[in-house]
Amino acid sequence: QCSGEGETCIAVNPNYCDSEYYIDSEPTSPPASTQPTAEPTVSTPAPTKAPQPTNGDGGELVIDRQNRCGPSELHARETCGQVCVTSADCSAGEHCWGVHPNYCGS
């Protein structure tokens, strides 16, 4: 319950107040730092190979649904990873993914 003038009441999740686990102390703030925080680093692997035309007609796109190797489904599909049946067919760090329809092999 809010008891002071100008206080705002907000809902809280169940907690351990007034139980044997409650420690009566003032909240602490993390120490102030004069150093800026580092920007997060994002490492997105570049595609290692481009899709290669295989249908020989020079332009018609063909939808492909074959399982492909990659560290993620997106990577396997976007880089047209090696066609596979199981993850044993893939390189270390890769898995055999059932991919969304794509134009690999067109």
Side-chain angles (χ1 to χ4, degrees), residues 10-79:
I10 58 172
V12 294
N13 290 325
N15 55 50
Y16 295 110
C17 292
D18 298 324
S19 74
E20 64 183 280
Y21 301 106
Y22 178 73
I23 300 171
D24 190 16
S25 65
E26 292 295 316
T28 58
S29 299
S33 172
T34 58
Q35 300 294 340
T37 58
E39 289 289 323
T41 57
V42 178
S43 175
T44 303
T48 56
K49 58 187 171 189
Q52 300 297 315
T54 57
N55 62 5
D57 66 8
E60 184 180 334
L61 295 175
V62 178
I63 294 179
D64 182 72
R65 293 182 178 90
Q66 296 179 87
N67 295 348
R68 294 193 176 267
C69 295
S72 68
E73 185 278 334
L74 178 66
H75 190 269
R77 178 171 30 98
E78 285 189 343
T79 62

Side-chain angles (χ1 to χ4, degrees), residues 68-70 84-97:
R68 294 193 176 267
C69 295
C84 58
V85 176
T86 70
S87 291
D89 300 328
C90 303
S91 299
E94 294 184 335
H95 301 283
C96 187
W97 298 93

